[in-house]
Amino acid sequence: MTMADEQTTAAALPVAPPSPRFGETFAHARYVVGDNPVTGVSFGLLLILVICALIGPSIVPYDPLASDTAAALQPPSAQHWFGTDQLGRDIFSRVVVATRLDLAISVFSVALVFALGGLAGVAAGFFGGWTDRIVGRIADTIMAFPLFVLAMGIVAALGNTVTNIVIATAIINFPLYARIARAEASVRRNAGYVLAARLTGNSDARIVLTTILPNIMPIMVVQMSLTMGYAILNAAGLSFIGLGVRPPTPEWGIMVAEGAAFIVSGEWWIALFPGLALMLAVFCFNLIGDGLRDIVDPQRRT
Amino acid sequence: MSAVPLLDVRDLTVEFATRRGTVRAVRKVDLCIAKGETVGIVGESGSGKSVTSYAVMRILDRAGRIAQGSVAFSGVDLKAASEREMRDLRGREMSMIFQNPRAALNPIRTVGRQIEDVLRQHALAGSGDLKQKAIDALEQVRIARPEERYGAYPFELSGGMCQRIVIALALACRPQLLIADEPTTGLDVTTQKAVMDLVVELTAERGMSTILITHDLGLAAAYCGRVVVMEKGEVVETAHSSAIFRAPAHAYTRKLMRATPRPGITLRDLLPEDAEHPPAPAAPAASETLLSVEHLVKEYPRNAAGAFARLLRKGGEEAPFRAVDDLSFEVRRGESVGLVGESGCGKSTTSTMVMRLADPTAGRIAFKGEDIGAVPASAFSHHPLRSKIQMVFQDPSDSLNPRYTAARAIADPILRFGAAKGAAAVRARCEELARLVGLPGELLDRFPHQLSGGQKARIGIARAIALDPDLVILDEPTAALDVSVQAIVLNLLADLKAKLGMSYLFVSHDLNVVRLLCDRVIVMRQGRIVEQGAAARVIDDPQADYTRELIAAIPHPPVQEVTHV
């Protein structure tokens, strides 16, 4: 049997499910949301963010890049909901359009760090020995630096691009993921079902991928949600100090940086609205993390 | 019985608020304990026996509440008592011993300090004589060299020793009532005997009352004056322990009693009396050798310290610890062999080596004539003989991947070894195996957390026999199960063996269970074989002192009356 058709057999095996399980998860999710309405609010916020990211550029009233010097520095009004900036660009349009870039940076960096840190950590926890030592020392080395300064250094060294922001954000989060995955995997490596998997002829690599990894997923997903907010903040922070995304691309961090100069002269709206969007996004991901923790925590499944 | 009972529980109903509505864990329980009396509460998991005692101590968790009834402790209404009053009562007037002694002790404080904490809490000792009182308390629970143990941390002591410390803690303030919640589950039989003897002696000395909560009827009968049997939150029978064995009134008590393994019965006697059972399969005739273990040795380095610590240590290397010391035995085809001994005797180490999950230090493991001990454990998962040695694990919950359905768990070995091709064939084989182990087909798509302990045990067995193995290692397969489920699982294992012609290597600490399932018994101690021979011979006529000691430590319910109920 080749690997490929082995996979399809395994995938095709549960004939009737997963409907009962899905139904149960859904019921549990509803219970958690009912128990803690804040989780519901945060999922609503996430929905808005995702909609903005997906169709934002086609629903905004103005071109986010079009400057109109005649209408510069106007306070919020019916025409420009969030006002206009020093070049007369509509801030509302720019805030909405920026969602896509900011979410993309955080999603890709979290996905990257999950793949790297998660796998390295699981391998370290499962195999122990040298794997553990190497992964552990890499994580220690990264943690020895002030993380934001390290991210600045990486972007500065690799070049000022969005890709490099994603890489830098992933690297600074690596120790967090590696450590969580390592701890969870080492708890499970002597569990009965791992021994059982070994007895039924699974190789170590297979056990890691099909047995350990799925079992630590819930914890990792919670962690991912919590890091999403941090990743957004990190990306915005880098742009704020002039690294990464360059003007005139609409991005929350740059917009705050640009608006900061105008706060003293009374044009508060330029910095406030992108800052508010940034805050809401981080807030939303953190709350979702808390909510997800409640959903996956077996202690609450009574 | 004196005029005012020490503990008077009437009509107690305890409810738990869960997502699926309110669950009544305890229903209208009446319990009356006189001063100086020892009462056993017996029941299987979910019978509400622990919840009852938690309600008495008022330590129910957040979701639970006493919905109805009254709890009076020497005339004081505990239901109305404030948390402050309860704190004062707990420890000084009534205290509790829990199941896992290690979990009940603070791992980072020395045991002496922990005893002092309790004494200080209840202002029973001044700072001057605190240490002396703690040492006295240790001495009372028969801890040898109490001055030395005073400074020991829980991890430095054995399980039995830890349980004695817990008892010392519970008795430090001379309470009137002691609630022991499965105090000896998880301890060896000889340790169990020592701990229970100690509890009974100390409580009798002080005129204390004791509630012993246990799933083991034999234990309750041996140590308690009165036994209360609970089922599904209700008390079904209360009687003196001698009377309950002579004439169990309730059907559930009879069922429990039948299911308890004891000398002089066969496997079929464990099953409920009402159902029809085919006669037990006869022991197969001796045939060729399937597994032969010769001079097996497993050594562990005594101290896991690093190279630096070794450099500092003066003198030569310490001799490594021999977990298994020159062990030789055989298992023939169709035979079931019991490997018996207390924790730390090396029986699990032996089975893991035979299972090829660990490498032996020396010796030969010949399986079907091939030395599989020479194949490193890490490479054995691809060995052609892998499918021929399988295992049923101790804890059915822990040995099932929580993210696999029952069908997927059973199918795992089939998929790995390609015993069936295509999803339909694999599914059909799973259904066939489920039928063999008596698992209803509709449960195949459930996840482990949706199944009961007995059902999970069946899945574990189905997975082990999926590849038609020649040798199945049973590692205390019923230790985590209730007696009635254990009775069914043991019978299932015996039937499967007869049907499929496998051999069993049954690892257990329970001689009563081993006698029922095994043809031959090997008794181990400190990595060596103390005695081996036919099961009936070893148990009825033990030759080695150690075997005699083991058998004497098993609490025996009065047997003869039970068999003809």
Side-chain angles (χ1 to χ4, degrees):
Chain A
M1 206 188 261
T2 67
M3 194 73 172
D5 64 37
E6 222 173 301
Q7 292 284 10
T8 48
T9 330
L13 189 78
V15 175
S19 52
R21 183 134 193 264
F22 177 76
E24 189 190 297
T25 310
F26 183 72
H28 183 74
R30 222 174 46 188
Y31 173 78
V32 168
V33 170
D35 203 39
N36 183 5
V38 177
T39 309
V41 171
S42 64
F43 275 104
L45 258 175
L46 176 69
L47 195 68
I48 295 174
L49 285 176
V50 170
I51 291 173
C52 287
L54 290 179
I55 56 168
S58 47
I59 55 166
V60 291
Y62 298 92
D63 179 352
L65 295 176
S67 49
D68 174 12
T69 34
L73 294 176
Q74 281 184 0
S77 63
Q79 209 160 24
H80 298 284
W81 290 354
F82 291 176
T84 59
D85 64 9
Q86 71 279 16
L87 297 175
R89 294 174 296 199
D90 180 49
I91 293 178
F92 175 74
S93 306
R94 285 175 66 77
V95 166
V96 171
V97 170
T99 316
R100 179 182 287 181
L101 182 60
D102 278 282
L103 278 193
I105 292 176
S106 60
V107 166
F108 282 116
S109 64
V110 167
L112 186 65
V113 70
F114 169 73
L116 293 179
L119 272 181
V122 168
F126 185 76
F127 296 108
W130 278 106
T131 325
D132 191 11
R133 273 177 230 171
I134 292 168
V135 172
R137 291 308 82 74
I138 292 175
D140 287 348
T141 312
I142 294 173
M143 283 177 82
F145 291 95
L147 292 183
F148 190 72
V149 176
L150 180 64
M152 279 164 57
I154 294 168
V155 176
L158 292 180
N160 229 350
T161 63
V162 172
T163 322
N164 290 339
I165 295 187
V166 169
I167 293 172
T169 312
I171 289 177
I172 62 169
N173 280 321
F174 176 87
L176 198 65
Y177 281 77
R179 285 178 173 221
I180 291 175
R182 179 191 172 276
E184 295 296 330
S186 66
V187 167
R188 285 167 178 77
R189 86 170 179 210
N190 287 322
Y193 57 84
V194 172
L195 292 183
R198 199 166 278 163
L199 291 192
T200 51
N202 292 276
S203 60
D204 280 348
R206 223 193 143 78
I207 290 174
V208 166
L209 291 178
T210 64
T211 307
I212 305 251
L213 211 51
N215 274 295
I216 67 169
M217 267 316 264
I219 297 137
M220 298 299 279
V221 167
V222 171
Q223 192 53 46
M224 282 165 87
S225 174
L226 293 173
T227 359
M228 282 282 276
Y230 183 64
I232 292 184
L233 216 49
N234 191 63
L238 286 173
S239 325
F240 183 87
I241 58 168
L243 285 167
V245 186
R246 282 175 227 229
T249 319
E251 197 280 337
W252 294 333
I254 300 176
M255 292 167 71
V256 175
E258 286 174 348
F262 292 89
I263 290 178
V264 256
S265 49
E267 285 92 15
W268 48 268
W269 56 90
I270 307 179
L272 178 80
F273 290 106
L276 218 52
L278 194 56
M279 191 201 83
L280 279 178
V282 175
F283 186 61
C284 158
F285 284 115
N286 284 350
L287 287 180
I288 287 178
D290 289 348
L292 280 177
R293 178 157 47 213
D294 291 350
I295 291 174
V296 299
D297 185 359
Q299 291 284 314
R300 299 192 48 130
R301 288 206 172 209
T302 38
Chain B
M1 215 178 271
S2 57
V4 179
L6 181 68
L7 181 71
D8 193 6
V9 177
R10 272 173 211 279
D11 244 6
L12 180 72
T13 300
V14 179
E15 291 179 345
F16 284 87
T18 71
R19 184 155 38 117
R20 295 194 176 83
T22 315
V23 172
R24 287 200 164 182
V26 172
R27 264 172 283 180
K28 293 193 178 296
V29 163
D30 291 315
L31 184 67
C32 188
I33 290 160
K35 228 174 148 36
E37 199 185 12
T38 304
V39 175
I41 303 184
V42 180
E44 297 188 294
S45 46
S47 63
K49 54 191 194 303
S50 292
V51 173
T52 307
S53 66
Y54 293 170
V56 169
M57 292 285 274
R58 286 259 312 267
I59 49 172
L60 290 168
D61 71 40
R62 222 158 28 104
R65 65 185 193 93
I66 299 176
Q68 248 180 62
S70 68
V71 180
F73 180 77
S74 46
V76 181
D77 182 11
L78 292 187
K79 209 179 139 193
S82 69
E83 187 49 42
R84 198 194 155 87
E85 288 166 319
M86 282 311 297
R87 262 208 301 277
D88 204 38
L89 280 175
R90 281 182 217 133
R92 212 189 58 202
E93 297 292 332
M94 39 192 206
S95 50
M96 200 156 178
I97 312 175
F98 292 96
Q99 178 172 344
N100 184 349
R102 257 177 232 287
L105 292 172
N106 185 342
I108 57 158
R109 264 175 102 70
T110 63
V111 293
R113 292 229 174 271
Q114 296 191 42
I115 296 174
E116 286 179 2
D117 288 343
V118 178
L119 293 171
R120 203 181 300 119
Q121 180 81 30
H122 295 281
L124 288 171
S127 52
D129 57 348
L130 208 51
K131 182 168 179 181
Q132 192 48 49
K133 284 211 169 174
I135 291 174
D136 289 347
L138 287 174
E139 202 162 8
Q140 276 160 12
V141 290
R142 312 269 136 71
I143 284 184
R145 291 174 284 137
E147 289 86 0
E148 252 170 70
R149 302 295 186 208
Y150 172 88
Y153 288 95
F155 71 86
E156 297 173 311
L157 304 172
S158 69
M161 202 94 94
C162 282
Q163 191 60 292
R164 281 176 215 217
I165 307 277
V166 173
I167 294 171
L169 282 174
L171 300 186
C173 300
R174 306 196 158 257
Q176 298 187 51
L177 175 69
L178 175 71
I179 300 179
D181 188 358
E182 304 264 11
T184 58
T185 310
L187 299 181
D188 290 321
V189 266
T190 49
T191 320
Q192 159 168 300
K193 187 166 156 52
V195 166
M196 282 313 299
D197 286 347
L198 180 70
V199 168
V200 167
E201 200 183 314
L202 290 179
T203 51
E205 219 168 74
R206 301 164 187 218
M208 288 167 53
S209 307
T210 311
I211 300 179
L212 172 67
I213 297 170
T214 178
H215 64 280
D216 186 344
L217 256 180
L219 188 72
Y223 290 99
C224 300
R226 220 149 43 92
V227 175
V228 175
V229 182
M230 288 187 73
E231 184 196 10
K232 291 178 190 145
E234 285 178 79
V235 171
V236 296
E237 191 168 355
T238 306
H240 280 92
S241 56
S242 55
I244 212 163
F245 276 96
R246 210 172 308 121
H250 195 272
Y252 178 72
T253 318
R254 275 202 294 278
K255 187 181 148 207
L256 257 190
M257 220 174 291
R258 280 187 70 90
T260 307
R262 57 200 179 269
I265 57 158
T266 65
L267 263 183
R268 290 294 186 248
D269 292 331
L270 296 177
L271 296 173
E273 50 207 320
D274 42 359
E276 283 286 310
H277 305 295
S287 50
E288 95 245 55
T289 303
L290 181 69
L291 173 79
S292 149
V293 172
E294 291 156 31
H295 307 292
L296 194 66
V297 174
K298 179 72 182 176
E299 288 180 343
Y300 290 106
R302 209 170 271 277
N303 204 329
F308 186 62
R310 252 180 274 143
L311 263 180
L312 287 179
R313 206 182 297 133
K314 286 176 192 142
E317 278 286 299
E318 266 184 286
F321 171 68
R322 284 203 157 189
V324 173
D325 193 357
D326 196 20
L327 201 69
S328 302
F329 66 89
E330 275 186 357
V331 177
R332 282 189 283 274
R333 190 176 285 280
E335 187 184 38
S336 55
V337 174
L339 204 54
V340 183
E342 305 199 310
S343 49
C345 75
K347 58 184 195 298
S348 299
T349 313
T350 308
S351 71
T352 2
M353 281 190 288
V354 172
M355 203 62 244
R356 301 305 305 121
L357 287 173
D359 288 320
T361 310
R364 216 175 104 87
I365 302 170
F367 180 68
K368 292 177 132 182
E370 193 172 331
D371 184 10
I372 55 168
V375 183
S378 52
F380 197 70
S381 68
H382 303 299
H383 196 275
L385 283 175
R386 168 77 289 166
S387 63
K388 294 297 164 195
I389 317 178
Q390 288 293 310
M391 185 165 185
V392 177
F393 290 86
Q394 177 168 5
D395 185 345
S397 312
D398 178 57
S399 63
L400 293 178
N401 186 341
R403 303 189 82 85
Y404 276 180
T405 60
R408 182 65 184 79
I410 298 173
D412 202 40
I414 305 171
L415 291 172
R416 289 287 77 69
F417 287 98
K421 308 254 182 230
V426 172
R427 178 76 189 185
R429 175 76 178 133
C430 287
E431 280 169 3
E432 186 191 336
L433 287 164
R435 256 197 312 281
L436 259 176
V437 298
L439 183 75
E442 66 267 22
L443 298 183
L444 276 177
D445 293 318
R446 295 226 188 145
F447 286 88
H449 69 271
Q450 297 165 315
L451 298 165
S452 72
Q455 287 161 348
K456 282 185 270 196
R458 285 171 202 267
I459 296 172
I461 295 169
R463 177 175 59 189
I465 62 170
L467 297 169
D468 296 316
D470 294 310
L471 177 67
V472 177
I473 295 180
L474 308 167
D475 182 11
E476 311 236 14
T478 59
L481 301 175
D482 282 327
V483 276
S484 58
V485 183
Q486 165 176 290
I488 295 165
V489 169
L490 288 176
N491 275 286
L492 171 68
L493 286 169
D495 291 341
L496 284 173
K497 188 179 86 126
K499 209 179 284 176
L500 305 173
M502 305 174 282
S503 303
Y504 286 157
L505 183 62
F506 187 92
V507 180
S508 178
H509 67 278
D510 191 337
L511 272 169
N512 273 337
V513 172
V514 168
R515 169 216 295 271
L516 291 172
L517 195 67
C518 296
D519 309 315
R520 227 147 44 77
V521 178
I522 298 167
V523 182
M524 280 183 76
R525 186 187 198 183
Q526 288 168 0
R528 293 180 188 203
I529 293 180
V530 175
E531 183 168 5
Q532 61 176 318
R537 208 274 298 147
V538 170
I539 293 167
D540 295 332
D541 181 24
Q543 301 299 311
D545 290 341
Y546 179 67
T547 319
R548 269 197 283 277
E549 196 186 317
L550 269 187
I551 292 170
I554 303 171
H556 286 296
V559 202
Q560 57 281 27
E561 292 91 343
V562 183
T563 35
H564 25 246
V565 164

